[in-house]
Amino acid sequence: MSANLARAMESFVTDTYGRTVWQDMVRAARLDFDSFELLFEYPHTVTEPVLDAAADRLQRTRADLMEDLGTYLVSHPRMVGIRRLLRFGGDDFETFLDSLRELPDRARLVLPDLQLPSLRLKDEGNGAYALDCSKASADLCGVLVGGIRAMADDYGALVTTELKTGPGNACRIEIVVLSSRFTPGRAFELAERST
Amino acid sequence: MTVTLADGMLDLAMPMHLRLDAGGRIVGAGPAMRKTAHTRALVGQVLLDVFAVHRPAGLRTFAQMSARPGRRLVLGFREGRNVEFRGHILDAAGDGAFVLNLTFGLADLPDLGGAGLTAADFAPTDPTVDTLYLLEAKQMAFSEMRRLVERLRGAKSVAEEQAFTDTLTGLRNRRALDQVMAQSRERAEPFALCQVDLDHFKQVNDTHGHAAGDAVLRAVAARLSHSVRAADTVARVGGDEFILILPGMTDEATLARIARRIVTDIEGPVRFEGRDHRVSASIGITVSTDYDDPDPVRMFADADAALYRSKSAGRATHCFHGQPA
């Protein structure tokens, strides 16, 4: 999973700040290569320094940086594929939230090796939800928060989110949906129409 | 007890169905089917005027179709885009009405017939939406893999281009040799250039095959490497052509001794698949101190000329540039 994070960070930094900024980070992390492969495994000793270097270079806390990464992954035009896959989750934001529980199973249909943390959504009534993530690093929880916020924008929902880290590799994301149709959101069609 | 499905229930359970009377006229259509038909008229039309039967072959009339409920059917719109559907016809409780339940054929699945359907147009039990999800996710995974393969292929060809080793013998190759020559020239270090060409190698190759030839080349490479010092360069630059760069070695008597030892070493038999193979070598030598500026191109040409004098002199010998054989 940390390898995927490093690869995602590379795309995020390259698309947002430019390749030279990414290369600064690679140098700071003393890597002997400058590009991560999504389908390869990398040890923590490689991924950790580059994620630290990224936060350092951009002068963000690691947690803030991870949220930005999550937002990038679902809202950047180059990542439109991920946004589309998430929009398959449902016609409105709350259905989408509920669909997150099947996300690991869906991902495994395509990439059987992919280990996503398990996600459990608790409906606490009045538009309040708690998303429990087990076996998720603090980084991944941050990415999730950024991604969920961006998906709320995509659906046109007005929400607040709060990240609470639990003991070990667990976190809880508290989400309050203030309005599920605050803006029209972005259009989504199941099939990209042929011309 | 019989369960009767109201039209509204049918619409929910199978949104892409058509309701037909006993004569094969469309009397109703599910919401997804109406959306897919778009401007094509459905209700009131004769089914087989709107749809052509693609399979089974030979099925022409509605009577044939309705006579075998449950049979797999493939139909397509006659008008506009030929969207294909598959499905089956169901006998609705024997009162002369039929239900034709359809879904998109595989060719029209990726864009849902171009009809702009949404998840709400499909029953929750219908895996069509999941199939679309899988198609897109698979496409993403596949593109990523293809990019990876492209990058690896690029890296491989760069590595090959930058290689300094002859893969057959493990000796240096032409590129490595050129670099050594250029360095020696730059540093103005004196050196000898020996061009070694095998005699009778072609016969081994032609008579006993390439495997025997390769075994001989590998043996020669090993012997050449043993005949020289660690600081010397041994390269294979053609099929059976080798070049030695001997830094600091300009004394002709010593070079002649080395050349004779190389010829003797190479003449030793090479055992391959129970048979001894024999080759010899002709050598042309030139030394950098013979030149004001040891230009590699000129030195190669001179070594080559000396080599040919060795060949003309009956092979298995060596010649120096600028001296008679």
Side-chain angles (χ1 to χ4, degrees):
Chain A
M1 204 59 227
S2 65
N4 294 338
L5 271 186
R7 175 73 183 90
M9 186 59 74
E10 178 183 342
S11 296
F12 166 59
V13 171
T14 306
D15 288 344
T16 313
Y17 303 98
R19 193 74 193 163
T20 51
V21 174
W22 170 249
Q23 273 154 351
D24 288 348
M25 296 167 183
V26 166
R27 257 194 305 280
R30 299 174 187 281
L31 300 189
D32 55 2
F33 57 96
D34 73 350
S35 192
F36 285 89
E37 294 294 347
L38 187 58
L39 305 166
F40 287 178
E41 293 289 334
Y42 298 89
H44 281 277
T45 49
V46 168
T47 56
E48 276 305 302
V50 83
L51 294 176
D52 281 339
D56 224 46
R57 173 71 174 72
L58 299 174
Q59 294 186 300
R60 315 288 313 265
T61 65
R62 178 116 163 206
D64 285 348
L65 185 62
M66 289 300 156
E67 288 199 26
D68 288 352
L69 176 59
T71 302
Y72 160 83
L73 285 176
V74 299
S75 63
H76 194 274
R78 277 192 7 105
M79 295 291 140
V80 66
I82 295 179
R83 177 232 169 211
R84 278 192 57 81
L85 290 183
L86 291 171
R87 281 291 294 255
F88 271 97
D91 280 340
D92 57 58
F93 181 68
E94 283 166 275
T95 321
F96 158 76
L97 279 183
D98 191 51
S99 77
L100 286 176
R101 76 176 84 225
E102 1 178 275
L103 194 62
D105 287 336
R106 279 187 181 277
R108 261 194 298 276
L109 285 176
V110 186
L111 295 171
D113 304 344
L114 190 64
Q115 292 295 326
L116 287 182
S118 70
L119 302 170
R120 277 210 331 273
L121 186 78
K122 234 191 263 164
D123 185 345
E124 297 182 325
N126 291 324
Y129 297 88
L131 184 68
D132 284 311
C133 325
S134 51
K135 296 193 204 107
S137 63
D139 284 342
L140 199 57
C141 293
V143 171
L144 268 171
V145 170
I148 286 171
R149 278 213 199 111
M151 285 308 288
D153 285 348
D154 209 89
Y155 277 106
L158 183 66
V159 306
T160 61
T161 56
E162 198 174 340
L163 175 62
K164 301 210 163 146
T165 45
N169 270 338
C171 68
R172 163 175 280 212
I173 301 167
E174 291 180 350
I175 304 153
V176 179
V177 181
L178 304 169
S179 161
S180 55
R181 279 266 176 254
F182 186 66
T183 67
R186 283 171 70 191
F188 173 72
E189 282 196 12
L190 281 186
E192 282 154 304
R193 247 191 252 227
S194 68
T195 45
Chain B
M1 177 192 148
T2 310
V3 176
T4 323
L5 290 182
D7 290 354
M9 286 171 75
L10 274 177
D11 286 351
L12 285 175
M14 20 178 126
M16 283 254 289
H17 78 282
L18 292 162
R19 297 187 291 280
L20 306 160
D21 68 16
R25 190 173 290 275
I26 301 170
V27 295
M33 178 50 82
R34 289 198 301 272
K35 226 169 165 176
T36 306
H38 197 48
T39 55
R40 302 172 189 87
L42 288 178
V43 175
Q45 304 295 306
V46 172
L47 174 74
L48 294 182
D49 287 347
V50 182
F51 293 89
V53 178
H54 297 173
R55 279 192 304 281
L59 196 153
R60 305 244 179 279
T61 65
F62 183 71
Q64 288 172 310
M65 190 185 283
S66 58
R68 293 195 36 200
R71 177 155 62 152
R72 186 187 179 95
L73 303 167
V74 180
L75 311 166
F77 278 134
R78 288 186 188 275
E79 247 182 66
R81 173 171 157 179
N82 178 14
V83 180
E84 197 171 75
F85 305 87
R86 64 165 196 255
H88 51 184
I89 196 162
L90 310 165
D91 191 338
D95 59 359
F98 294 89
V99 170
L100 179 60
N101 189 28
L102 297 172
T103 187
F104 287 108
L106 289 183
D108 295 297
L109 185 61
D111 74 342
L112 299 176
L117 299 181
T118 71
D121 291 309
F122 294 91
T125 48
D126 185 342
T128 301
V129 177
D130 298 310
T131 309
L132 289 185
Y133 176 93
L134 273 180
L135 279 175
E136 282 196 33
K138 178 216 72 176
Q139 197 51 46
M140 279 174 71
F142 190 76
S143 328
E144 190 59 35
M145 252 176 262
R146 196 156 46 193
R147 270 199 295 277
L148 173 62
V149 170
E150 288 298 320
R151 278 196 293 270
L152 291 183
R153 193 160 71 177
K156 179 168 172 275
S157 68
V158 167
E160 278 169 356
E161 238 167 64
Q162 291 170 348
F164 281 113
T165 308
D166 169 45
T167 48
L168 176 67
T169 61
L171 296 178
R172 312 267 81 186
N173 62 10
R174 183 84 210 197
R175 186 176 305 104
L177 179 72
D178 287 343
Q179 208 182 58
V180 170
M181 292 279 287
Q183 275 168 7
S184 300
R185 185 188 192 185
E186 226 168 80
R187 295 178 195 152
E189 284 170 353
F191 64 94
L193 172 77
C194 305
Q195 184 160 351
V196 181
D197 201 293
L198 299 189
D199 300 325
H200 318 300
F201 176 72
K202 195 171 180 307
Q203 287 94 306
V204 174
N205 232 354
D206 291 352
T207 317
H208 303 289
H210 286 291
D214 288 352
V216 167
L217 290 173
R218 277 193 287 263
V220 167
R223 289 171 196 180
L224 282 173
S225 299
H226 283 128
S227 304
V228 300
R229 302 161 302 174
D232 298 335
T233 299
V234 184
R236 186 168 81 111
V237 296
D240 59 349
E241 285 172 51
F242 300 83
I243 283 180
L244 280 60
I245 303 286
L246 313 173
M249 183 76 71
T250 52
D251 177 55
E252 281 189 8
T254 313
L255 282 167
R257 210 165 49 242
I258 293 171
R260 279 194 295 274
R261 191 174 70 218
I262 286 174
V263 172
T264 314
D265 280 354
I266 288 178
E267 285 180 343
V270 177
R271 192 91 183 149
F272 179 73
E273 290 187 347
R275 190 188 287 272
D276 281 341
H277 301 278
R278 287 174 197 279
V279 292
S280 185
S282 299
I283 302 179
I285 307 167
T286 188
V287 290
S288 64
T289 45
D290 286 357
Y291 304 83
D292 290 337
D293 175 24
D295 170 25
V297 176
R298 238 188 95 195
M299 286 189 70
F300 281 129
D302 290 342
D304 202 48
L307 167 72
Y308 273 86
R309 281 193 290 117
S310 300
K311 293 245 179 203
S312 318
R315 305 174 195 268
T317 185
H318 66 273
C319 282
F320 282 93
H321 161 63
Q323 283 181 14

